Short mmCIF file of all heavy atoms in Angstrom, two decimals:
data_model
loop_
_atom_site.label_atom_id
_atom_site.label_comp_id
_atom_site.label_asym_id
_atom_site.label_seq_id
_atom_site.Cartn_x
_atom_site.Cartn_y
_atom_site.Cartn_z
N GLU S 1 -22.76 23.30 31.04
CA GLU S 1 -23.68 23.60 32.15
C GLU S 1 -23.70 22.45 33.16
O GLU S 1 -23.69 22.68 34.38
CB GLU S 1 -25.08 23.85 31.61
CG GLU S 1 -26.10 24.20 32.70
CD GLU S 1 -27.49 24.44 32.16
OE1 GLU S 1 -27.65 24.43 30.92
OE2 GLU S 1 -28.41 24.63 32.97
N ALA S 2 -23.70 21.21 32.66
CA ALA S 2 -23.68 20.05 33.56
C ALA S 2 -22.35 19.97 34.30
O ALA S 2 -22.32 19.67 35.50
CB ALA S 2 -23.92 18.77 32.76
N ARG S 3 -21.27 20.23 33.60
CA ARG S 3 -19.94 20.20 34.25
C ARG S 3 -19.86 21.24 35.37
O ARG S 3 -19.32 20.99 36.45
CB ARG S 3 -18.84 20.41 33.22
CG ARG S 3 -18.73 19.29 32.18
CD ARG S 3 -17.54 19.52 31.26
NE ARG S 3 -17.47 18.51 30.23
CZ ARG S 3 -17.97 18.66 29.00
NH1 ARG S 3 -18.58 19.81 28.67
NH2 ARG S 3 -17.89 17.69 28.11
N LYS S 4 -20.38 22.43 35.09
CA LYS S 4 -20.34 23.50 36.11
C LYS S 4 -21.16 23.12 37.32
O LYS S 4 -20.72 23.31 38.46
CB LYS S 4 -20.84 24.80 35.51
CG LYS S 4 -20.81 25.98 36.49
CD LYS S 4 -21.27 27.26 35.84
CE LYS S 4 -21.22 28.42 36.84
NZ LYS S 4 -21.67 29.69 36.21
N LEU S 5 -22.35 22.57 37.11
CA LEU S 5 -23.18 22.15 38.23
C LEU S 5 -22.47 21.08 39.05
O LEU S 5 -22.48 21.12 40.28
CB LEU S 5 -24.52 21.62 37.72
CG LEU S 5 -25.46 21.02 38.78
CD1 LEU S 5 -25.78 22.03 39.87
CD2 LEU S 5 -26.74 20.50 38.11
N ALA S 6 -21.83 20.13 38.38
CA ALA S 6 -21.11 19.07 39.09
C ALA S 6 -19.98 19.64 39.92
O ALA S 6 -19.79 19.26 41.09
CB ALA S 6 -20.57 18.06 38.09
N ARG S 7 -19.23 20.58 39.35
CA ARG S 7 -18.13 21.18 40.09
C ARG S 7 -18.63 21.93 41.32
O ARG S 7 -18.03 21.87 42.41
CB ARG S 7 -17.34 22.12 39.18
CG ARG S 7 -16.59 21.42 38.05
CD ARG S 7 -15.59 22.35 37.39
NE ARG S 7 -16.23 23.48 36.72
CZ ARG S 7 -16.54 23.53 35.43
NH1 ARG S 7 -16.29 22.47 34.65
NH2 ARG S 7 -17.08 24.61 34.90
N ILE S 8 -19.74 22.64 41.18
CA ILE S 8 -20.29 23.39 42.30
C ILE S 8 -20.79 22.44 43.39
O ILE S 8 -20.57 22.68 44.59
CB ILE S 8 -21.42 24.33 41.82
CG1 ILE S 8 -20.82 25.46 40.99
CG2 ILE S 8 -22.22 24.88 43.00
CD1 ILE S 8 -21.86 26.38 40.35
N LEU S 9 -21.46 21.37 43.01
CA LEU S 9 -21.94 20.39 43.99
C LEU S 9 -20.79 19.79 44.78
O LEU S 9 -20.91 19.52 45.98
CB LEU S 9 -22.73 19.28 43.29
CG LEU S 9 -24.10 19.66 42.76
CD1 LEU S 9 -24.67 18.51 41.92
CD2 LEU S 9 -25.06 20.02 43.88
N LEU S 10 -19.67 19.57 44.12
CA LEU S 10 -18.51 18.97 44.78
C LEU S 10 -17.77 20.00 45.65
O LEU S 10 -17.43 19.72 46.79
CB LEU S 10 -17.57 18.39 43.74
CG LEU S 10 -16.40 17.55 44.26
CD1 LEU S 10 -16.90 16.35 45.05
CD2 LEU S 10 -15.51 17.11 43.11
N ARG S 11 -17.56 21.19 45.11
CA ARG S 11 -16.72 22.17 45.79
C ARG S 11 -17.44 22.97 46.87
O ARG S 11 -16.79 23.60 47.70
CB ARG S 11 -16.08 23.10 44.76
CG ARG S 11 -15.14 22.36 43.82
CD ARG S 11 -14.67 23.20 42.66
NE ARG S 11 -13.98 22.35 41.68
CZ ARG S 11 -13.63 22.75 40.47
NH1 ARG S 11 -13.92 23.98 40.06
NH2 ARG S 11 -13.01 21.91 39.65
N SER S 12 -18.76 22.96 46.85
CA SER S 12 -19.51 23.69 47.87
C SER S 12 -19.94 22.80 49.02
O SER S 12 -20.57 23.27 49.97
CB SER S 12 -20.75 24.36 47.25
OG SER S 12 -21.65 23.39 46.75
N ALA S 13 -19.61 21.53 48.96
CA ALA S 13 -20.05 20.58 50.00
C ALA S 13 -19.17 20.67 51.24
O ALA S 13 -17.94 20.54 51.14
CB ALA S 13 -20.03 19.15 49.44
N ARG S 14 -19.77 20.88 52.39
CA ARG S 14 -19.03 20.86 53.65
C ARG S 14 -18.79 19.43 54.12
O ARG S 14 -17.86 19.15 54.88
CB ARG S 14 -19.79 21.60 54.74
CG ARG S 14 -19.94 23.09 54.51
CD ARG S 14 -20.70 23.77 55.63
NE ARG S 14 -20.00 23.64 56.90
CZ ARG S 14 -20.45 22.93 57.92
NH1 ARG S 14 -21.57 22.24 57.83
NH2 ARG S 14 -19.77 22.88 59.06
N TYR S 15 -19.66 18.53 53.69
CA TYR S 15 -19.54 17.12 54.06
C TYR S 15 -20.16 16.29 52.94
O TYR S 15 -20.82 16.81 52.03
CB TYR S 15 -20.26 16.84 55.39
CG TYR S 15 -21.72 17.15 55.38
CD1 TYR S 15 -22.66 16.20 54.97
CD2 TYR S 15 -22.18 18.40 55.76
CE1 TYR S 15 -24.01 16.49 54.94
CE2 TYR S 15 -23.53 18.71 55.74
CZ TYR S 15 -24.44 17.75 55.32
OH TYR S 15 -25.77 18.05 55.29
N GLY S 16 -19.94 14.99 53.01
CA GLY S 16 -20.51 14.10 52.01
C GLY S 16 -20.62 12.70 52.58
O GLY S 16 -20.16 12.41 53.69
N ALA S 17 -21.24 11.83 51.81
CA ALA S 17 -21.34 10.41 52.18
C ALA S 17 -20.26 9.66 51.41
O ALA S 17 -20.21 9.71 50.18
CB ALA S 17 -22.72 9.86 51.84
N LEU S 18 -19.37 9.00 52.14
CA LEU S 18 -18.27 8.25 51.54
C LEU S 18 -18.56 6.77 51.64
O LEU S 18 -18.81 6.24 52.73
CB LEU S 18 -16.96 8.58 52.26
CG LEU S 18 -15.72 7.88 51.71
CD1 LEU S 18 -15.31 8.51 50.37
CD2 LEU S 18 -14.56 7.97 52.70
N ALA S 19 -18.53 6.08 50.50
CA ALA S 19 -18.75 4.63 50.48
C ALA S 19 -17.42 3.94 50.14
O ALA S 19 -16.74 4.32 49.18
CB ALA S 19 -19.81 4.25 49.46
N VAL S 20 -17.07 2.94 50.93
CA VAL S 20 -15.85 2.17 50.75
C VAL S 20 -16.20 0.69 50.83
O VAL S 20 -17.35 0.33 51.08
CB VAL S 20 -14.79 2.53 51.84
CG1 VAL S 20 -14.35 3.98 51.69
CG2 VAL S 20 -15.38 2.30 53.23
N LEU S 21 -15.20 -0.15 50.63
CA LEU S 21 -15.39 -1.60 50.76
C LEU S 21 -14.76 -2.07 52.06
O LEU S 21 -13.55 -1.98 52.24
CB LEU S 21 -14.77 -2.32 49.56
CG LEU S 21 -15.42 -2.03 48.21
CD1 LEU S 21 -14.64 -2.70 47.08
CD2 LEU S 21 -16.87 -2.49 48.20
N ASP S 22 -15.59 -2.55 52.96
CA ASP S 22 -15.13 -3.02 54.26
C ASP S 22 -14.23 -4.24 54.07
O ASP S 22 -14.67 -5.27 53.57
CB ASP S 22 -16.34 -3.38 55.13
CG ASP S 22 -15.96 -3.69 56.56
OD1 ASP S 22 -14.80 -4.08 56.82
OD2 ASP S 22 -16.82 -3.55 57.45
N PRO S 23 -12.94 -4.15 54.45
CA PRO S 23 -12.04 -5.28 54.21
C PRO S 23 -12.40 -6.52 55.03
O PRO S 23 -12.02 -7.63 54.68
CB PRO S 23 -10.66 -4.72 54.62
CG PRO S 23 -10.97 -3.60 55.56
CD PRO S 23 -12.26 -3.02 55.08
N ALA S 24 -13.13 -6.32 56.11
CA ALA S 24 -13.47 -7.45 56.96
C ALA S 24 -14.61 -8.28 56.39
O ALA S 24 -14.67 -9.50 56.58
CB ALA S 24 -13.85 -6.96 58.36
N THR S 25 -15.54 -7.62 55.68
CA THR S 25 -16.74 -8.31 55.20
C THR S 25 -16.90 -8.27 53.68
O THR S 25 -17.64 -9.09 53.11
CB THR S 25 -18.00 -7.69 55.82
OG1 THR S 25 -18.15 -6.35 55.34
CG2 THR S 25 -17.91 -7.68 57.34
N GLY S 26 -16.24 -7.32 53.03
CA GLY S 26 -16.41 -7.14 51.59
C GLY S 26 -17.65 -6.34 51.22
O GLY S 26 -17.86 -6.03 50.05
N PHE S 27 -18.46 -5.98 52.22
CA PHE S 27 -19.67 -5.22 51.95
C PHE S 27 -19.36 -3.74 51.79
O PHE S 27 -18.42 -3.21 52.42
CB PHE S 27 -20.67 -5.39 53.10
CG PHE S 27 -21.52 -6.61 52.99
CD1 PHE S 27 -21.09 -7.82 53.51
CD2 PHE S 27 -22.77 -6.55 52.37
CE1 PHE S 27 -21.87 -8.97 53.41
CE2 PHE S 27 -23.56 -7.68 52.27
CZ PHE S 27 -23.11 -8.90 52.78
N PRO S 28 -20.16 -3.01 51.01
CA PRO S 28 -20.02 -1.55 50.97
C PRO S 28 -20.30 -0.97 52.35
O PRO S 28 -21.19 -1.44 53.07
CB PRO S 28 -21.08 -1.12 49.95
CG PRO S 28 -21.33 -2.32 49.12
CD PRO S 28 -21.15 -3.50 50.04
N PHE S 29 -19.54 0.04 52.71
CA PHE S 29 -19.69 0.70 54.00
C PHE S 29 -19.74 2.20 53.74
O PHE S 29 -18.83 2.76 53.14
CB PHE S 29 -18.52 0.36 54.92
CG PHE S 29 -18.58 1.04 56.27
CD1 PHE S 29 -19.22 0.44 57.34
CD2 PHE S 29 -17.97 2.27 56.47
CE1 PHE S 29 -19.28 1.07 58.58
CE2 PHE S 29 -18.02 2.90 57.70
CZ PHE S 29 -18.67 2.31 58.77
N ALA S 30 -20.80 2.86 54.17
CA ALA S 30 -20.98 4.29 53.93
C ALA S 30 -20.89 5.06 55.24
O ALA S 30 -21.37 4.60 56.29
CB ALA S 30 -22.32 4.56 53.26
N SER S 31 -20.26 6.22 55.17
CA SER S 31 -20.10 7.04 56.36
C SER S 31 -20.08 8.51 55.95
O SER S 31 -19.81 8.84 54.80
CB SER S 31 -18.78 6.68 57.07
OG SER S 31 -18.62 7.43 58.25
N ARG S 32 -20.37 9.39 56.89
CA ARG S 32 -20.32 10.83 56.62
C ARG S 32 -18.93 11.35 56.95
O ARG S 32 -18.35 11.02 57.99
CB ARG S 32 -21.36 11.56 57.46
CG ARG S 32 -21.38 13.07 57.26
CD ARG S 32 -22.49 13.73 58.05
NE ARG S 32 -23.78 13.31 57.56
CZ ARG S 32 -24.90 13.35 58.29
NH1 ARG S 32 -24.85 13.75 59.54
NH2 ARG S 32 -26.04 12.97 57.75
N VAL S 33 -18.40 12.20 56.06
CA VAL S 33 -17.07 12.77 56.25
C VAL S 33 -17.11 14.26 55.95
O VAL S 33 -17.91 14.74 55.13
CB VAL S 33 -16.03 12.10 55.32
CG1 VAL S 33 -15.77 10.66 55.75
CG2 VAL S 33 -16.47 12.15 53.86
N LEU S 34 -16.25 15.01 56.64
CA LEU S 34 -16.06 16.42 56.31
C LEU S 34 -15.27 16.51 55.01
O LEU S 34 -14.36 15.71 54.76
CB LEU S 34 -15.29 17.14 57.42
CG LEU S 34 -16.00 17.35 58.75
CD1 LEU S 34 -15.10 18.14 59.69
CD2 LEU S 34 -17.33 18.06 58.57
#
């Protein structure tokens, strides 16, 4: 049941928040992506 919910949350998302590591500062950087 948990796996199914996780798959639906991922596959039904039109967009999400993406966090990466900024190479210039080393700080986490979050942005919205399709």
Side-chain angles (χ1 to χ4, degrees):
E1 181 180 355
R3 294 185 184 96
K4 181 178 181 180
L5 175 58
R7 293 193 296 264
I8 290 175
L9 288 172
L10 188 60
R11 296 171 190 169
S12 64
R14 294 180 62 247
Y15 60 88
L18 181 73
V20 295
L21 295 175
D22 188 335
T25 66
F27 275 87
F29 178 90
S31 182
R32 179 177 295 157
V33 291
L34 291 183

